[in-house]
Amino acid sequence: DTGVSQDPRHKITKRGQNVTFRCDPISEHNRLYWYRQTLGQGPEFLTYFQNEAQLEKSRLLSDRFSAERPKGSFSTLEIQRTEQGDSAMYLCASSWGTEYSPLHFGNGTRLTVT
Amino acid sequence: AQKITQTQPGMFVQEKEAVTLDCTYDTSDPSYGLFWYKQPSSGEMIFLIYQGSYDQQNATEGRYSLNFQKARKSANLVISASQLGDSAMYFCAMREGEERETSGSRLTFGEGTQLTVNP
């Protein structure tokens, strides 16, 4: 069990550019989540995958955001035409589908849009 | 209305003493789960403890225990024998409803409490 891995750890980009983040969940976990955390706040849910199927999306996930999990393993989160308000920590988490299934989080990707 | 309320932005405790971090929640669903996570300055969210709404006994995990008062809708975290390494942000979170395949374990987090353990 190597834990949830996220890449990159930090990303600085200029407004209007596209960025893509990657998440590698714990290998036996079939569920994957993306959360966003701004300074001084708790994480907010963005989207959820069961295997390769994206089953739930938050209203926070605007049209500029897209997430994929093509083979039910790693996932990518892309933000198109970044805005300064997108600056945040993007956290990925995975879990095994049971009634009691704590989310295991990665270290996050910190995005700064200048 | 806030789903999860953590009223203590910051807490201080002396090393080796116990500390209680408050959490109240709001839900009308009879089935729910409550979680506590620790977030050190490194950023990773570390799962600490879980309490199900139908659990009869308070959850315990090593030095962590959850004081679950269902009628008051509170789920306070108690850390016994505080250590310097306990200094971190602590988040209370809730999953409303049963865990379903269509929604997984979608969590709503509070704003957190910054705990500082003094030597």
Side-chain angles (χ1 to χ4, degrees):
Chain A
D1 180 355
T2 57
V4 177
S5 176
Q6 291 189 247
D7 183 69
R9 288 297 308 276
H10 303 274
K11 179 71 177 178
I12 300 174
T13 191
K14 292 186 176 179
R15 185 163 50 95
Q17 297 293 306
N18 299 344
V19 294
T20 300
F21 310 141
R22 177 180 170 122
C23 171
D24 287 273
I26 294 171
S27 58
E28 61 268 27
H29 286 179
N30 59 346
R31 296 180 174 180
L32 186 145
Y33 309 78
W34 285 97
Y35 281 77
R36 181 171 69 186
Q37 185 178 23
T38 52
L39 204 60
Q41 302 293 317
E44 295 175 298
F45 171 80
L46 291 179
T47 191
Y48 156 67
F49 289 85
Q50 165 96 355
N51 298 312
E52 67 277 6
Q54 187 175 20
L55 297 184
E56 192 170 2
K57 292 195 291 185
S58 163
R59 287 173 295 174
L60 293 175
L61 212 66
S62 76
D63 292 345
R64 297 183 296 106
F65 288 70
S66 62
E68 293 183 344
R69 195 183 182 197
K71 297 182 180 178
S73 56
F74 74 92
S75 175
T76 58
L77 177 68
E78 181 183 15
I79 309 174
Q80 295 182 324
R81 305 181 303 282
T82 52
E83 302 173 355
Q84 288 189 322
D86 297 331
S87 295
M89 176 77 87
Y90 290 84
L91 294 166
C92 176
S94 67
S95 71
W96 178 247
T98 63
E99 182 178 343
Y100 162 48
S101 54
L103 272 59
H104 296 264
F105 284 85
N107 286 332
T109 294
R110 182 167 295 284
L111 173 67
T112 303
V113 182
T114 61
Chain B
Q2 292 279 354
K3 293 282 187 180
I4 296 287
T5 302
Q6 295 182 252
T7 57
Q8 308 152 315
M11 287 286 285
F12 294 86
V13 65
Q14 285 297 121
E15 194 178 5
K16 300 181 184 177
E17 292 186 351
V19 63
T20 297
L21 307 183
D22 294 342
C23 172
T24 57
Y25 59 91
D26 182 27
T27 181
S28 57
D29 200 310
S31 178
Y32 52 89
L34 297 159
F35 300 77
W36 277 92
Y37 282 84
K38 170 184 178 182
Q39 188 176 41
S41 56
S42 60
E44 183 182 1
M45 298 283 287
I46 302 168
F47 166 71
L48 297 178
I49 196 166
Y50 167 80
Q51 181 86 41
S53 59
Y54 295 120
D55 293 343
Q56 295 294 317
Q57 296 194 347
N58 288 342
T60 60
E61 287 287 348
R63 295 187 298 110
Y64 304 108
S65 60
L66 201 152
N67 185 0
F68 183 43
Q69 306 263 332
K70 195 169 182 177
R72 295 183 179 181
K73 293 189 175 179
S74 74
N76 299 339
L77 177 70
V78 180
I79 306 174
S80 63
S82 297
Q83 302 172 355
L84 295 177
D86 294 334
S87 293
M89 187 72 111
Y90 288 79
F91 290 97
C92 179
M94 176 174 64
R95 182 204 70 236
E96 285 187 277
E98 295 179 0
E99 177 153 345
R100 299 183 178 85
E101 188 170 307
T102 52
S103 61
S105 188
R106 173 178 178 166
L107 301 182
T108 300
F109 285 82
E111 295 190 346
T113 295
Q114 179 69 47
L115 176 67
T116 302
V117 181
N118 295 317

